[in-house]
Structure formats: structure tokens, C-alpha cells
Amino acid sequence: MEFVSGYRDEFLDFAALLFGWFRKFAAERGAAGASPEGRWRQLEAQIRRLPQDPALWVLHVLPNRSVGISLGQGAEPGPGPGLGAARFLGDEPPLHLRDLSPYVSFVSLEEGEEMEEEQEENGEEESASVEKVDPEDNGEPTPTSRESPQEANPPGETEEAEQEAGGGEGGCREDKAEDEPGPERRKGRRSEAAPLHLSCLLLVTDEHGTILGIDLLMDGTQESAGKGSGTENLAPRAYALLCHSMACPMGSGDPRKPRQLTVGDAQLHRDLESLVPRLGVKLAKTPMRTWGPRPGFTFASLRARTCHVCHRHSFEVKLTPCPQCSAVLYCGETCLRADWRRCPDDVSHRFWCPRLAGFMERARELATLPFTYAAEVTSETFNKEAFLASRGLTRGYWTQLSMLIPGPGTHRHPRGSMPALNLLLSGDPYQLLQGDGPAVMPPVPLDPPRALFGSWQDYYTWRGLSLDSPMAVLLTYPLTVYYVITHLVPQSFPELNIQNKQSLKIHVVEAGKEFDLVMVFWELLVLLPHVALELQFVGDGLPPDSDQQHFTLQRDGPEVSVRPGSGVSARLSSGTKEKGGRRDLQIKVSARPYHLLQGPKPDLVIGFNSGFGLKDTWLSSLPRLQSFRVPAFFTESSEYGCVMDDQTMAVATGGGTSPPRPNPFRSPFRLRAADNCMPW
């Protein structure tokens, strides 16, 4: 598929932006070190002429003593060549963080130190390794020591800094590891090589949290992880970072200098007092004493913008959309012409341009939602991280929507895992939907719905939710299933009489995020009170250890039972008495491609954001699905995805899909797109 915005994990685009900027910064820093005096005088003069940003800028100094980076060679953990930057930043990037888990993971340095201390107490002899694993495919060495600047003079770059800047991919390989964590954490696991240690992170942001520049100080071993703060004598690097952040801001906007700068480290603040004024920038009188200058500070969601053809970022080139369709971003006429004339013709922009223009016309319709926050969350500049943080949505299932990645030891509902019994036994089936503030889900209404819901407005009214509630972002999954059962199947397959069935077996194929949010499907029992439901999640992307697992949620009058497959049972209070008989929701998991699934056929098949053209297994799964002759409905995050699905269906089965229609229970959150402006 040409555009993967709706399928690729946004954190990967964010990481590509960070390290694309860092590579450019490291290369220019090395060039400045080669001809120091004239280059720095020229750069300082250029910055003094820049327009002033009214926002306060912050230089954060973040030492790290506890988290290391373990590099693997692929299928098995351990030292090896790692994941090449060509794949990470190139034409065929991985789609999900789990694709990187065999290569990169976080480890706890503190656990390693404790283990070494225990071994020393037991008299075991073990030599400490101080060499880093070489993560490059081309065999280029990576730096093995942390930089120790000799003087606070901006032209005086050290050899270590030049080593980090040089070597192409080698200069960024170790840094790339820090922001490419997979969901699997191999805590306490020892490998043949010591983990990499990011000893200190220098980060330039504005007061709103927009990231403007980044510098990474790497230490090859965990041996020195606990020695010092890692912030001594950083002035040369910090000054170089500030200059580059002003001349080439990563986040957004034209080159500019701040009206005022504050620093998050007392020693570095003193060291920069004589340097920052050279740029025409006022340094705050005292260092920053708290994490951020404003109580509501959070890192803004950076929008990675790239040319569709050459993949260069917006901080490198000026990007403009195609003048005809306004859908695709290019850095200039050269890339636009190359895409226009691509062969074969059906992959060229000349072929797709009229269709993409039609997709763009849907933007206003897709953004029409009843929520009070609709204009904010459907805009191209939507800052998702700030939205979640400002509403206290920072735990439970809400973390699945965030780009924040927990380090080792962080307590959090893990991606790709069955809900833990201790969470279910707390007495509230909606606990994982809860934020940090008041309850987000009101009590279940005493009476079942009297009419079928066809819009968020109707459902919110019956459920007692305020239109300011963001619960639609999570409830889009069960409400979409509900809409398929109550509206789409009766319209397309009236002979099945699905609304009168007492039980329904539903396959959720190529399951992904919806499996990570599995407890939201409890809402189906509230909406369909007299139906026993079985949801079987199927897909080879599911965690292997969940294969063949199942459990049942049962509501007996005022209580809920949780019965795992092992036979253990427990009871939960639902908070209300209900009319009607017993009903239950069975959850089953099959971690395999759909065409390898064995067992009776379902009543209904549903796939969320499936992307037929992205996985070869669909070429086998679609014919198998066709042979079942049962209704199958799929959602996509864009009209473009629907067209690509139809093409893949034709190749796999000789058939096609029905014309797409907007999902009335779509998520209100707009997804980011790096190389296009289409509404996802």
C-alpha cells in the first residue's frame, strides 16, 4: 500500500522524526567542529537575526541511571547486527512496535547491579564487560564512551562528539535503540554484551511542550550508570543543541530564537550564562526548579511530516500538497513529477490524483460529530498527548492510545495481554476505562434500550454520558459491533434474522488494538441484554502465550461472574439490578492466521482496520472466509484503505467488497498522517 498512516504505529513516525533530526544535528555539529571559529561566528550571527518566538524555551537536562537498552539480532534476543536504519527509516518501515521487539528492548540497570552484587557476595568470578555490541549491519563501530567536554567553548567539540556525528547509520544506531522499544520487556535478562546506557538526554522544548531539539549522550556500559549525574561540563553540547534548535526547529515553524531561555540544571545554567547572550537570547535569572514552567506542561504530539517520495522531513525541506488533489505532500516539483510518472500507471499519482481529491471532500463529513471537543480532535494539528493528559486519562486502557512507552518495572496494563483477574475482581468491569479523575462511565441504566441506536448522540443520551466525555474513543469497538449486528446485517442479509438469535458467535479477525482493549466489549452485554455472545479474537499478531485461552463474563441479576478457562470463578458487583435473564460474554483467543483456524463457522466476522494489502496471509484467509458464506464486515481508517481492500479481495477471491460508508460510531480522534493530508 502506498499510504500506511492508519496502520503504522505513530510512535515509529515520531521516532523517525527524532532521529532524522538528530542525525542532521550530529552531522552539522561535526562539521562545525572541523572549522570551529568561523563556522560558529557565522551561525551566531545568523541566529541573532532570527525573529523572536514569544514563547519561553526550556532546556531540559534528564540524567538516566536506571534504564538500559538491550540490542538483539532478530528472532532471538542477544547481541547481533540489529535493525538497520535503512529498514527503520526507509521505504519499507515496520508497521508496529512489536516488529522491533526482537531487536530492541528496555532493561533495568538497577536489577543488573543487584544481580552483580549478589554474585560477588556468593564468591562468583565474573569479568565486567565494558564493550558495546555493534548494532550495525555494515560493521561500523559505535562510540564506546561518554563525551567529557574539556571546556565550555562552543567551537570546542570533542572527539567523542565527532564519533557520534560520523559514520552515517553508525552515528545514530545506538540512539535509535532508545526510542524503538518493543512491547516485550526482558527485565533482568543478561546478555553476552552489556546493555547500552543513555546517560543523559538534553531536550529543548517551548513552554507548551513542543520538542525543538534533542541530544543523546550514550554510555556503553552500565558500570558507570550510577556515577554522578551525567550533567557535568555539558555546556559545549548544550550550546550547540540550542543553536541548531533555533536554526532548524524540529517541532514546527520557521527558524526563530526564544525571547527567554530557562535551563533545568543549576550547573549548566551557570556555564551557559556567558554563552547564550551571544545569540541575542535572554537567559532566565535562575534555573528551572520544576519539571515544567506550567502545571499543565506535557510534551506535545509532534506531527512527523515527510515527502511522499524521498521521505525527507519538514525541518529539512518545505513540504507542499499536490496542487490538484491537496492530498499528498511533496518537497518540490522533482518528487511530484517522479510520483506522477511512476510505472505501472495504476500506482502513479496521475492515476490516483482524482480519487484522492474525492477522498479529501469527505473530511468535513467525517469531522461532523456531536462531541464538544470534536473540532479539536479532528483537526490536522490535534495534540493527542496534551488532550489525554489534560483530562487525566493517563492510566488503564487510555495508555493504549498514548505514545508514551513505559520503562522496565512500570506498572501498566500491557499491550497484547489478557485482562488480569485481579483487575476484574475489583468489582467494576469498567475499571480499565477509568482515568485519574471522577468515574468516566455512569451506572448501567436499569432498563434496556427501547430503540436501536444509530448515532453517538442517541447512545450517549441513553447511557447518561456527557457529550464532553471522550469515552467514544474506546467504545468505538463495541459500538461498531453493535451497529453491524443491529443495522448492517439486517439490511444486507435479512434472511438470517440475526436480531432474533439468542446467541451469536463472532470472529474478530486479524485482531490488534481491539484485543488490547478487550474489556470494552462488556458494553455489548449492556446493549444486547438477551444475547449470549462469544467473541473469538484471531490473528498471528496476537501474543503466542494467549493462544487457546478463554474466559467468560457472566451477569446474574445484580452481579457479574468472571470464569477463566481454568475453571476458577469469582463474582463482581455490577452496581445495578437488571431486568431479564442470565447472559454472558465468552472471550476466546487464537493466535494464528485466520485460514489456519479450526472449529465451527461463526455467525458473523468482523475486522477492525484490517489492511488487506499489508499482509500476505489475507490472500489465504479471504478465500477461507468466503467459503464460510457468513456475513463479514470490515472497518478502515480511510476511504483509501477501502479501495485497496477491494483490490486485494479481487486478487484473492475474484470477488469484491461493498461500497464503503462512514461508520456512525467511528472514533473521534483523527490519526496522524506523515506524507499526506487525507482524513484518517
Side-chain angles (χ1 to χ4, degrees), residues 195-270:
L196 304 182
H197 175 218
L198 175 66
S199 59
C200 185
L201 172 70
L202 297 179
L203 198 64
V204 179
T205 74
D206 65 14
E207 60 187 293
H208 307 294
T210 302
I211 300 177
L212 302 166
I214 187 173
D215 194 5
L216 310 170
L217 279 71
M218 300 297 297
D219 186 2
T221 72
Q222 74 177 69
E223 195 173 76
S224 58
K227 299 178 181 178
S229 66
T231 63
E232 299 86 357
N233 302 320
L234 289 179
R237 293 190 68 142
Y239 187 78
L241 175 63
L242 288 169
C243 290
H244 196 70
S245 300
M246 298 176 199
C248 182
M250 180 198 306
S252 61
D254 296 325
R256 60 196 185 277
K257 62 183 180 183
R259 63 172 177 82
Q260 188 176 20
L261 173 74
T262 183
V263 181
D265 181 80
Q267 179 61 48
L268 185 57
H269 182 275
R270 289 191 292 269

Side-chain angles (χ1 to χ4, degrees), residues 595-633:
H595 63 277
L596 299 180
L597 180 67
Q598 301 296 322
K601 72 177 185 179
D603 298 298
L604 176 65
V605 174
I606 292 179
F608 293 96
N609 204 25
S610 302
F612 292 168
L614 294 173
K615 292 188 67 175
D616 291 339
T617 54
W618 278 114
L619 297 177
S620 300
S621 296
L622 289 173
R624 172 75 186 281
L625 179 59
Q626 189 182 49
S627 69
F628 283 164
R629 301 188 65 82
V630 298
F633 289 85

Side-chain angles (χ1 to χ4, degrees), residues 15 99 170 311 558:
D99 298 330
H311 307 295

